[in-house]
Amino acid sequence: MKILGIDPGLRTTGFGVIHKQGSKLAYIASGTIKTPDGDLPQRLKVILASIGEVIQTYTPDCAAIEKVFVNVNPQSTLLLGQARGAAICALVQADLQVAEYTALQVKQAVAGHGKAQKQQVQDMVQRLLALPGLPGTDAADALGVAICHAHSGDILSVLGGLAPGLAKKGLRMRGGRLVG
């Protein structure tokens, strides 16, 4: 399975493509999409078109994108949300299933704890994918999102398989806990 990871940003959007076979992960490609200074609609158009080109080039089977965190500056959060929206539009336009993960989930999946620094994420991505060099921060974050999805997909499929049996027994999830 090929997974496309996206780290959205209005100035720079990172992307990373990995291949998952069983429990093995392999690097395919990564990079950044830089938008020119200018008006917002043109920048969003660049993100939409560029992610479309990445999809066409690497033909991923699914995609994962980082969720927006609420910033101190509400205007920055809104702009980031719009960039993320353009990226999601490109993904769904290509009929890809899209998973969403918080930065905390990505850091935990890649570095083992949710408070990992950017450098730690870069180092772990390099190690997990056996890269010859350190990826840039935006590309490393995007690869981290793809890695997070590769690991989470296994857990979600196991839980999805268990759900019908648990429901028959009258059990369900509430607040992250199994209750009867």
Side-chain angles (χ1 to χ4, degrees):
M1 169 173 57
K2 276 196 262 182
I3 304 167
L4 170 60
I6 302 287
D7 176 38
L10 189 57
R11 288 190 185 281
T12 306
T13 292
F15 71 88
V17 185
I18 63 170
H19 183 261
K20 179 182 185 219
Q21 187 167 7
S23 63
K24 293 192 180 229
L25 301 178
Y27 173 84
I28 295 175
S30 63
T32 56
I33 299 163
K34 296 193 184 289
T35 61
D37 289 336
D39 61 336
L40 180 64
Q42 287 304 313
R43 295 172 91 175
L44 297 177
K45 181 180 177 183
V46 168
I47 294 169
L48 181 73
S50 298
I51 290 178
E53 288 175 26
V54 169
I55 292 167
Q56 210 169 24
T57 302
Y58 299 105
T59 61
D61 300 306
C62 60
I65 190 165
E66 191 172 305
K67 286 184 181 178
V68 174
F69 63 93
V70 178
N71 204 329
V72 175
N73 181 346
Q75 183 64 25
S76 296
T77 303
L78 287 170
L79 291 172
L80 178 58
Q82 290 175 324
R84 186 174 175 277
I88 290 172
C89 286
L91 299 171
V92 297
Q93 190 172 24
D95 292 323
L96 291 175
Q97 191 173 14
V98 181
E100 301 173 78
Y101 299 97
T102 65
L104 182 92
Q105 289 171 308
V106 172
K107 289 175 182 180
Q108 196 145 20
V110 173
H113 61 93
K115 296 191 186 230
Q117 301 296 316
K118 288 244 184 224
Q119 181 66 43
Q120 290 172 303
V121 171
Q122 284 177 287
D123 289 339
M124 285 307 297
V125 165
Q126 181 184 13
R127 288 181 188 185
L128 291 170
L129 298 176
L131 300 176
L134 208 59
T137 56
D138 295 303
D141 287 349
L143 288 165
V145 172
I147 291 167
C148 180
H149 184 65
H151 295 316
S152 297
D154 293 340
I155 293 166
L156 293 175
S157 64
V158 168
L159 291 175
L162 292 174
L166 294 173
K168 284 180 187 173
K169 293 179 180 177
L171 300 171
R172 57 193 164 80
M173 294 295 289
R174 178 185 279 162
R177 295 175 187 250
L178 192 60
V179 294

